[in-house]
Amino acid sequence: MSELPVDPAVREGRVPGRSSEEIPELHEVGCPEELRERIEGLMGRYPDRRSASIPALWAVQERYGWCTPEGIRQAAAVMRVTPAYLESVASFYDLLHTSPVGTHRIEVCTNISCWMRGADRLLEAFQEAAGGDDANFYVTGFECLGACDIAPMASIDQRYYGPLEAAEAGVAIDQLRAGQEVLPDKALAKRGLAGDA
Amino acid sequence: MPHRLEKRILLEHAEDPALRTLDGYRRLAGGYATLERAYKEMEQDEVLKRLEESGLRGRGGAGFSMGKKASFLPRGDMAKYLCCNADESEPGAFKDRELMQRNPHQLIEGIALAALAADAGHAFIFIRGEYDEQADILDTAVAEAYEAGYLGTNILGCHRDLELVVHRGAGAYICGEETALLDALEGKRGNPRLKPPFPAVQGLYGGPTLINNVETLSNVPHIVDKGPDWFHQYGTEQSPGTKVVSISGGVRRPGNYEVELGIPTRELIFDIAGGPEDGHEIKAFFPGGSSSPVLTAEEGLDLPYSFEAMAEAGSMLGSGSIIVCDDRVSIPHLALRTARFYHHESCGKCVPCREGTNWTVKMLERMVRGEATPMDLDIVSSVQQNIIGHCLCVLGDSMAMPVGAMVRKFREEFEEVMANPELVLDPHAVVQGAPETLGAQA
Ligand SMILES: Cc1cc2nc3c(=O)[nH]c(=O)nc-3n(C[C@H](O)[C@H](O)[C@H](O)COP(=O)(O)O)c2cc1C
Ligand code: SF4
Ligand code: FES
């Protein structure tokens, strides 16, 4: 039987757009110097510079709070790929935001082990405590964060906390508002190894 | 003190925060002595032979022989790559997090030795973006290893080079699938590729690539140092060695525990993890993460915890993550949670997975709302059967197998829920309260 034709994208994945007229020039995008240097540094870490697209988008998000269209154009100009390509990459990943999000990011795990221990209530409690203050807080349910041992848990600004009582959501939000350390007793980093108690 | 039934090799000294530093790793664990010996005195084939003879099986899910996979890489001058899979996103799995957080240098040494076996000059740790804290720890450890001359060019004056980059993902379970991982690492959307060609032949940037899990690679320094016979002392014949098992859900002491493979599952769940809370019983458990078909307590508790025993029982050891469901868990709701995860994470590239996960979620939602007809149970089962084996990668199967098993093994409960949705156990907080606090440090 002869082989059916296979779209190269099936084997190789989508290849970045390279048509030069769609790639913005650096001087057109007003890319801040430190962002350009950071992205160039990231590109230098890989045998193929295009591998830096996710790290570059992380850098954009850190700089602007989310992957803004301007930020994406700036990264695209530095990386010499089309903004549409980077946009398509950003939209694939849950942690890269292509629309504005609050300053503090709270991901509450609602997957199996956390669900069994009250994650849905915890998520509600965080949503209530944030009270629609979207500028400061982005609260979302999330898939398993790889910390089912501290279920129910949440990731707050990329740090893990658990096991959390629903009432601790309000405490955490107040601490974030006041610029204090969040739930110090519940930080994953401070836990010992299971069984060593 | 570890539990008397634990056997800590990978997690030895892990309770000591100093292990995380280069000095601590050298002092506590004799770290990097094996790398030094191997780079100075051993040939590629010798390292490879030890790994093959050890019978070390991949700890990322499929359980394939690590040494054999490394031996599949062609020889020659072309650029070869090594990727450490630290995406760990399967519900229930959190062992790689512990290994990276507490013993990052063991992983780096393992990578350097595996790179020697595979003749790879470039290595990457692909770590899920959520593990920011662990990625920071790895960044620090990698910098220390470069500084000490264990990475970089002309390592220890042996005319070998190895670059190691910590690459953070950005939140997509599918990037744990090895070919999707390669796409993500090439800067693309993480869609799986058609296999063959397998990554060992044509992987990253088209070059031969060895992909192994964090725990697999963390075993490597021990095996290269102490040899295959030493490794075979632990575990079973087909599942040699120890396993860091993540146990969560309805047990008193959830956590990561390192045990010899083949330990009775009951000892793991009851003696080590404390068993279910007072007044409750175990109804079922996932033996190997959410992708493994659930086993009822009756079927599973008395099996040895090994690759072969779980496979024989129609399930799998997978990543070695046990999720325990006690008698408060509503299985139809559990099926829905499980299906929703795979639906959300399906990359959408192939129809049986994209549509199958979508329809499974919709039908399960109808069931728990009491809007389904009895026929729907058979339709759900047949959808699962039509997914299995028909997808580009195994994400589709990973939903179809556990969901199919739940419908098959708990059919009566589904029927009951469908008839009386209001009678269902509180589907939100099944296990009340927080678990006993474990080893919380002062
Ligand atoms: C959908 C999907 C997700 C996966 N996620 C992971 C993962 O997070 N970590 C991992 O090591 N392997 C994961 N795997 C398995 C990898 O494809 C691959 O088999 C593994 O990394 C090989 O390493 P090992 O032989 O050391 O186990 C996943 C597979 C699939 C299909
Ligand atoms: S099985 Fe699912 S996740 Fe895997 S390639 Fe197909 S659509 Fe994507
Ligand atoms: S289920 Fe919540 S962290 Fe795994």
Side-chain angles (χ1 to χ4, degrees):
Chain A
M1 210 177 84
S2 69
E3 296 240 324
L4 292 170
V6 176
D7 181 337
V10 173
R11 282 193 210 283
E12 284 139 36
R14 274 175 49 168
V15 176
R18 305 279 282 164
S19 71
S20 51
E21 63 271 28
E22 288 169 36
I23 300 175
E25 293 299 328
L26 250 181
H27 64 84
E28 297 168 0
V29 294
C31 183
E33 199 61 10
E34 80 263 14
L35 183 62
R36 182 180 62 78
E37 276 170 19
R38 172 116 186 257
I39 295 175
E40 283 173 352
L42 290 166
M43 288 159 67
R45 304 198 307 164
Y46 299 92
D48 180 334
R49 296 153 73 84
R50 283 171 292 177
S51 280
S53 68
I54 296 174
L57 288 162
W58 273 119
V60 167
Q61 182 154 298
E62 234 167 73
R63 167 85 207 211
Y64 298 107
W66 56 288
C67 292
T68 59
E70 306 76 57
I72 286 183
R73 277 176 66 78
Q74 290 163 358
V78 179
M79 289 190 65
R80 308 307 302 149
V81 295
T82 62
Y85 176 71
L86 283 187
E87 188 98 38
S88 84
V89 172
S91 68
F92 188 82
Y93 297 100
D94 289 342
L95 293 177
L96 295 172
H97 299 286
T98 48
S99 51
V101 289
T103 321
H104 297 292
R105 267 156 243 165
I106 302 171
E107 285 115 20
V108 181
C109 171
T110 54
N111 214 301
I112 300 171
S113 295
C114 287
W115 162 68
M116 288 184 192
R117 289 180 177 270
D120 290 1
R121 244 177 244 159
L122 183 65
L123 174 59
E124 272 170 32
F126 268 109
Q127 281 163 338
E128 271 165 33
D133 180 0
D134 294 342
N136 282 312
F137 300 104
Y138 170 75
V139 178
T140 181
F142 213 79
E143 300 301 357
C144 177
L145 284 154
C148 327
D149 45 345
I150 54 166
M153 58 79 63
S155 171
I156 302 175
D157 292 333
Q158 298 270 72
R159 288 295 176 267
Y160 285 9
Y161 302 88
L164 299 179
E165 308 277 347
E168 283 169 312
V171 178
I173 296 276
D174 290 343
Q175 286 164 332
L176 288 168
R177 280 216 169 92
Q180 293 165 346
E181 189 184 355
V182 178
L183 302 173
D185 302 340
K186 293 297 177 83
L188 174 71
K190 295 200 184 144
R191 287 173 70 85
L193 204 54
D196 274 349
Chain B
M1 282 291 288
H3 192 280
R4 70 189 159 81
L5 294 170
E6 272 192 88
K7 174 67 207 167
R8 287 193 191 163
I9 293 172
L10 305 189
L11 286 176
E12 203 185 0
H13 310 296
E15 69 287 346
D16 190 339
L19 186 65
R20 202 183 281 167
T21 62
L22 180 66
D23 281 347
Y25 181 59
R26 279 200 285 226
R27 178 167 49 81
L28 294 164
Y32 290 110
T34 311
L35 179 144
E36 194 148 349
R37 190 153 56 91
Y39 269 63
K40 290 191 170 150
E41 297 166 15
M42 287 163 83
E43 296 292 324
Q44 175 186 1
D45 283 328
E46 197 179 338
V47 179
L48 200 52
K49 186 159 162 263
R50 285 187 188 208
L51 292 172
E52 279 195 80
E53 287 178 357
S54 75
L56 170 65
R57 298 176 67 163
R59 306 297 200 227
F64 192 77
S65 157
M66 190 254 163
K68 201 172 275 172
K69 189 152 76 178
S71 75
F72 289 159
L73 268 76
R75 302 291 172 103
D77 287 339
M78 70 289 243
K80 301 183 203 76
Y81 303 95
L82 187 149
C83 296
C84 168
N85 192 340
D87 194 56
E88 190 165 71
S89 308
E90 184 184 23
F94 46 92
K95 66 192 173 73
D96 297 340
R97 184 203 81 210
E98 197 95 79
L99 287 166
M100 292 186 285
Q101 180 161 326
R102 297 186 187 274
N103 205 348
H105 283 287
Q106 173 177 259
L107 175 60
I108 296 169
E109 189 174 10
I111 288 172
L113 290 164
L116 185 63
D119 188 31
H122 259 100
F124 299 88
I125 301 176
F126 187 99
I127 182 167
R128 67 181 295 188
E130 293 86 347
Y131 282 176
D132 189 54
E133 204 160 0
Q134 290 72 24
D136 284 350
I137 290 170
L138 285 173
D139 277 339
T140 307
V142 168
E144 282 182 311
Y146 266 102
E147 181 75 16
Y150 299 132
L151 294 171
T153 44
N154 195 16
I155 295 171
L156 304 171
C158 301
H159 310 290
R160 292 196 140 269
D161 307 335
L162 180 64
E163 299 299 333
L164 175 59
V165 173
V166 178
H167 182 95
R168 295 164 199 232
Y173 166 62
I174 191 59
C175 291
E177 195 282 329
E178 54 188 14
T179 61
L181 181 147
L182 296 176
D183 268 22
L185 202 43
E186 289 178 3
K188 303 167 185 168
R189 291 165 69 96
N191 291 116
R193 304 175 183 174
L194 193 65
K195 291 190 270 193
F198 287 93
V201 178
Q202 196 178 326
L204 191 65
Y205 311 127
T209 306
L210 178 64
I211 305 171
N212 277 120
N213 171 262
V214 170
E215 189 184 354
T216 315
L217 290 163
S218 295
N219 269 289
V220 169
H222 302 279
I223 293 170
V224 175
D225 177 28
K226 301 185 211 78
D229 291 340
W230 166 84
F231 192 67
H232 274 285
Q233 283 176 63
Y234 305 107
T236 70
E237 200 187 323
Q238 290 173 59
S239 306
T242 60
K243 179 83 194 67
V244 180
V245 184
S246 303
I247 309 183
S248 68
V251 287
R252 266 186 255 235
R253 292 189 294 274
N256 284 308
Y257 298 96
E258 185 172 1
V259 294
E260 284 190 50
L261 280 160
I263 185 176
T265 305
R266 186 182 291 278
E267 286 183 8
L268 252 175
I269 295 179
F270 281 81
D271 296 283
I272 298 182
E277 288 174 12
D278 281 341
H280 293 284
E281 277 174 29
I282 294 177
K283 184 167 171 181
F285 66 96
F286 294 89
S290 68
S291 310
S292 63
V294 291
L295 295 174
T296 63
E298 217 163 71
E299 288 173 312
L301 283 178
D302 291 312
L303 297 174
Y305 196 67
S306 65
F307 285 101
E308 61 275 18
M310 290 302 153
E312 241 169 71
S315 188
M316 55 196 222
L317 190 94
S319 52
S321 321
I322 299 180
I323 309 173
V324 174
C325 310
D326 73 16
D327 48 17
R328 288 167 286 184
V329 176
S330 155
I331 300 290
H333 286 85
L334 175 69
L336 176 57
R337 282 285 145 154
T338 309
R340 273 193 189 142
F341 169 74
Y342 293 99
H343 172 47
H344 178 244
E345 300 295 339
S346 168
C347 83
K349 194 160 173 168
C350 44
V351 178
C353 170
R354 187 181 65 228
E355 296 304 318
T357 53
N358 182 25
W359 280 102
T360 303
V361 168
K362 281 190 181 152
M363 285 194 292
L364 290 170
E365 280 174 348
R366 280 216 300 260
M367 286 180 193
V368 301
R369 283 201 304 257
E371 294 163 7
T373 63
M375 226 176 67
D376 281 353
L377 261 184
D378 293 323
I379 300 177
V380 166
S381 294
S382 88
V383 168
Q384 308 316 310
Q385 266 152 26
N386 282 305
I387 292 172
I388 293 174
H390 295 153
C391 299
L392 193 64
C393 82
V394 298
L395 186 140
D397 295 25
S398 300
M399 177 199 70
M401 291 187 303
V403 170
M406 284 183 233
V407 174
R408 204 166 56 246
K409 296 178 185 182
F410 293 92
R411 198 177 169 100
E412 280 168 22
E413 191 176 330
F414 277 87
E415 283 164 353
E416 207 177 325
V417 166
M418 285 158 68
N420 316 287
E422 70 290 349
L423 289 184
V424 172
L425 310 160
D426 173 7
H428 293 302
V430 188
V431 179
Q432 303 292 337
E436 275 176 29
T437 313
L438 305 170
Q441 279 174 354

